Structures are given as C-alpha cells and as structure tokens.
Amino acid sequence: GVHTTKDLKIKNLSLKVTAYNNAIKGKDSVTITGGDTTNLFAISTNGDGVETSNTDVSSKGKQRGTVTIDTTGTLNIYAAGDGIQCAYDFVMEKGEEEGDSVPALNIYIGAYSSYASSSASTTSYKGIKAKNEINISYGKISLNSYDDGLHADYGTSFDNGSSGVGIINISGGYISTNVYSPSKSSGFGWGGQQSVSGADGIHADNTINITGGTISIDSSYEGIEANFINVSGGNTYVYATDDGFNASKKI
C-alpha cells in the first residue's frame, strides 16, 4: 500500500491504506509519530500490516529494521499475516508531542480481521513480531491474533554482523492479548489454515523483563513464556489453558 526502500515516517495526518500485500512497509524503518492528529488505518488482506526488512547499519551509525511508535494518536491494523513484523526492534514509547490522550494500538489478525482473505497463505500470524527485541514503555495495546501476541526471536543473523537477542522489555503502558490457541490435537484454524497450537500471550525466545505497566492476557495456550522471566513491577493477569508462566531454558 505504502512502500519506501529506505525510511518511512508517518506524522500528523490521518492515513487509511488497503492493500493485497503489506499495508505499510519501510525497508529501513517505520516511524509513526506526532500528536493526536496522527491516525492510521492499515489493512492487508493477504499480508502483514506494518513491516521492515533491512538489518544493516547506515553510514551515520543508525540501526535499520526498527518500527517505532511514539504518537498519541490511534493506530488500527488489520492483517492476514503479522500485525507488525520488525526485521530488528519494535519500540513503543512516549514521544515529545504528548498530546491529550494515550496512544492506542489495536491489531486484528486472521478471522479477528473482517478484511483478511479466507484464502490467504500466510505462515505467521502474530500480533507484534521482532527478530531482535521488543521495548514497550507507554500506550495502550490490544492484540487479537492466531499466534503469539508479542514475540521476539533469538539467533537471527543480521546484516550488521550480530544475532537476535530474543528479549521483550515491558516497563509501562497497558497490554491486552486475546490469542486463539486450541489444544495441540486441534485441526484447522481460520480460512482453512492450520491454526497454531500452543500460541502464547507473550513469548520471547530468550528473556522477558516486566518492570511496570499492566498486562492482561485474556486467552492463550501459555500466558507468558521465555527461557528467563523476570517480574519486578506492574500488574499482570493471565488466563491460559496450559501454563500461566513457563520458564524453560532452550538455548
């Protein structure tokens, strides 16, 4: 729908995008910023909502591949695949233009989206997925997905020469997740696609650090899963059909 080969910045406007493939893609980065006047409606019928792809470092030393949200507007993402897919990091923080309201990020995946094609051939349908790290300190996030609500990969090889750390840091804001995750013996999910068994509300391949904010996992197979889980603040509520918290070293 909107595609740049370098950086993409959306600021102080209302934007509605409907696309067959990715709705919003900045290969180097995507930054959504500004005050209350920044409002995004991103629809992908067969692909991802927001995506980056490059992971090298610019000549000025800037790491590429990050999606940053520091607006106080409202962002609605409807996708068949991942809501937000970050080649490197995802960051949601308080920006300089605070505005009068708390930013709202609402993501709907698969059958949770009224726009997704029933014939979409996606292989990943997570709420927010980062190949390195997720950092959330501000805002209100609502995730409705057929795979993990939040997910950070470990071990991905980047063009900058490093590897993904697989870490999620939550220090503020409000996060609610609704993950459709049937038992491992279940059949097919939305649109005839194989539904993910064992999908988590929040999953990091390495470490999850929760120091603040409010987390409400309304449905999931496992609520919070990582090799290491550190909780030192905030309020966390979990509903899961299997483990509420699962810490198991696998790397």
Side-chain angles (χ1 to χ4, degrees), residues 60-104:
K60 296 182 179 179
K62 180 183 177 182
Q63 174 62 55
R64 294 174 170 140
T66 296
V67 174
T68 302
I69 297 175
D70 64 6
T71 180
T72 54
T74 300
L75 316 176
N76 295 300
I77 298 174
Y78 298 82
D82 296 323
I84 299 177
Q85 183 184 133
C86 311
Y88 199 72
D89 285 352
F90 173 81
V91 178
M92 189 162 177
E93 60 187 3
K94 195 170 187 177
E96 294 180 357
E97 299 182 44
E98 298 178 9
D100 298 323
S101 60
V102 175

Side-chain angles (χ1 to χ4, degrees), residues 17-29:
V17 179
T18 303
Y20 177 89
N21 196 11
N22 304 313
I24 303 289
K25 183 173 182 179
K27 285 190 172 181
D28 284 357
S29 71

Side-chain angles (χ1 to χ4, degrees), residues 5-57:
T5 58
K6 295 188 181 296
D7 299 307
L8 173 60
K9 191 170 192 178
I10 298 170
K11 181 178 182 179
N12 294 335
L13 81 162
S14 292
L15 175 65
K16 181 178 180 180
V17 179
T18 303
Y20 177 89
N21 196 11
N22 304 313
I24 303 289
K25 183 173 182 179
K27 285 190 172 181
D28 284 357
S29 71
V30 175
T31 301
I32 303 173
T33 187
D36 298 346
T37 58
T38 300
N39 292 287
L40 175 66
F41 204 88
I43 302 167
S44 173
T45 60
N46 284 263
D48 299 329
V50 178
E51 183 179 305
T52 59
S53 59
N54 294 334
T55 59
D56 58 337
V57 177

